[in-house]
Amino acid sequence: ATDLVTFGETMALFVSRRTGPLRFARDFDLGLGGAESNLAVGVTRLGRSACWVGRVGADEFGDLIRSALAGEGVDVRAIPDLEAQTGLMIKGRRTADHVDVRYYRAGGAGSRLRPEDLDPALIRGARVLHVTAITPALSESARATVRHAVEEARDAGVPVSLDVNYRRALWSQEAAGAWLREVAGRVDVLFATADEARLIAADAPLDDPAATAAALAALGPRHVLVKLGSRGAVEWSDGVCRRAPAYQVTAVDPVGAGDAFAAGWLADWLEGAEPDQRLRTACAAGAFAVTSQGDWESLPTRADLTLLERSADGVSR
Ligand code: ATP
């Protein structure tokens, strides 16, 4: 059986090599990305098994997604959809310091996920089910898939993890907040940024992440992680609050830090690591993700994690 099961939309990703308005781009690197499959890669790199389920087009990009994830050792269940194409993401830099991501995904194969696409035995046999609040914003059938999967997991006593991943292009803060408040009480692990926390608990204090985490925990999750970017993260678990600073790294691309953080936390949780260790691993994985281009390529292995501890002179021999 697989340690972690997740599902969602993964898309082809075009990254402009040039900084400036996208219309002046000349060359693109082709890759792929999706919050849930990024997480599956992260968990796999850290030594646990992960399965990703999603719909892709019967096209080159669907094949790219299938082969790249399989190459990473993820158990890929990429269902070919004959009636829609794989969605696209285009990433550019308007300035050296500002990354912008555009999505061409409406009606794409990934959004057509439906409850029958998930094998109940797969969920029932997992040690954790991981979902994001991207999926319910994609379509009615995708939203039903999340509801169905969460119920299946709860029914079988499989813990559920939810990473908010709020996408403003897909739905309003009000709609996302309503959905999140409904689901927060049904999950065991909840990952959110400080801003996302306020979608769920509107009166959560902006400048007090510990109180924010406590407000979310009051809704039911046993573990709440509030991510604070370069300021680290706060964890509320079983009534205890922990805080971890971020690792000092040179950030080149902020995208993917959240997925990496969740992957690090869940991998260590699956390992049965101590809470302090688990939070450090999560922060270390988040730090790795920001150090290079690509949403998941730079995700760390266990060996990589030790680099952060001994990077004082920046050389390993
Ligand atoms: P994403 O950009 O992927 O949506 P996010 O907004 O969900 O990320 P962040 O808070 O930006 O989440 O990052 C998650 C974690 O990664 C942070 O809690 C921190 O531990 C680590 N991290 C993020 N940015 C940096 C940074 N600049 N330097 C070091 N660590 C970082």
Side-chain angles (χ1 to χ4, degrees), residues 163 165 167 193 196 226-233 244-249 251 254-259 261 282-287 290:
D163 188 348
N165 266 296
R167 295 285 185 268
T193 63
E196 289 168 346
V226 176
K227 299 169 286 178
L228 307 167
S230 59
R231 292 182 298 126
Y247 285 85
Q248 295 285 317
V249 294
V255 180
D259 302 333
F261 180 93
C283 287
V290 303

Side-chain angles (χ1 to χ4, degrees), residues 167-201:
R167 295 285 185 268
R168 77 173 80 202
L170 295 177
W171 54 350
S172 69
Q173 297 195 4
E174 292 69 31
W179 186 86
L180 287 162
R181 277 189 296 276
E182 200 183 300
V183 176
R186 314 182 72 69
V187 306
D188 302 273
V189 187
L190 175 62
F191 297 92
T193 63
D195 287 342
E196 289 168 346
R198 292 170 60 81
L199 295 176
I200 308 171

Side-chain angles (χ1 to χ4, degrees), residues 208-225:
D208 186 348
T212 300
L216 298 188
L219 301 174
R222 180 165 171 209
H223 307 284
V224 173
L225 286 301

Side-chain angles (χ1 to χ4, degrees), residues 13-64:
L13 170 64
F14 286 83
V15 184
S16 169
R17 293 192 176 155
R18 213 180 265 199
T19 298
L22 209 49
R23 65 182 177 277
F24 299 111
R26 292 296 174 267
D27 296 303
F28 291 89
D29 288 314
L30 173 62
L32 62 140
E36 302 84 2
S37 59
N38 296 347
L39 177 118
V41 171
V43 165
T44 306
R45 291 242 177 120
L46 290 170
R48 306 310 314 193
S49 56
C51 173
W52 174 83
V53 184
R55 279 187 180 246
V56 297
D59 51 31
E60 282 291 318
F61 299 139
D63 292 346
L64 166 68

Side-chain angles (χ1 to χ4, degrees), residues 74-125:
V74 173
D75 174 2
V76 193
R77 314 269 174 111
I79 303 161
D81 189 312
L82 302 176
E83 282 159 46
Q85 293 173 314
T86 307
L88 302 184
M89 284 188 283
I90 300 179
K91 194 155 139 185
R93 279 180 186 269
R94 183 62 185 83
T95 70
D97 299 318
H98 184 81
V99 176
D100 58 80
V101 185
R102 280 150 230 265
Y103 298 95
Y104 295 81
R105 72 195 307 178
S111 72
R112 291 158 51 86
L113 196 68
R114 42 176 179 258
E116 309 84 86
D117 291 340
L118 295 178
D119 173 3
L122 185 67
I123 295 175
R124 292 181 164 268

Side-chain angles (χ1 to χ4, degrees), residues 149-170:
V150 169
E151 287 321 304
E152 194 77 50
R154 283 176 61 84
D155 215 53
V158 174
V160 179
S161 159
L162 166 66
D163 188 348
V164 175
N165 266 296
Y166 174 61
R167 295 285 185 268
R168 77 173 80 202
L170 295 177

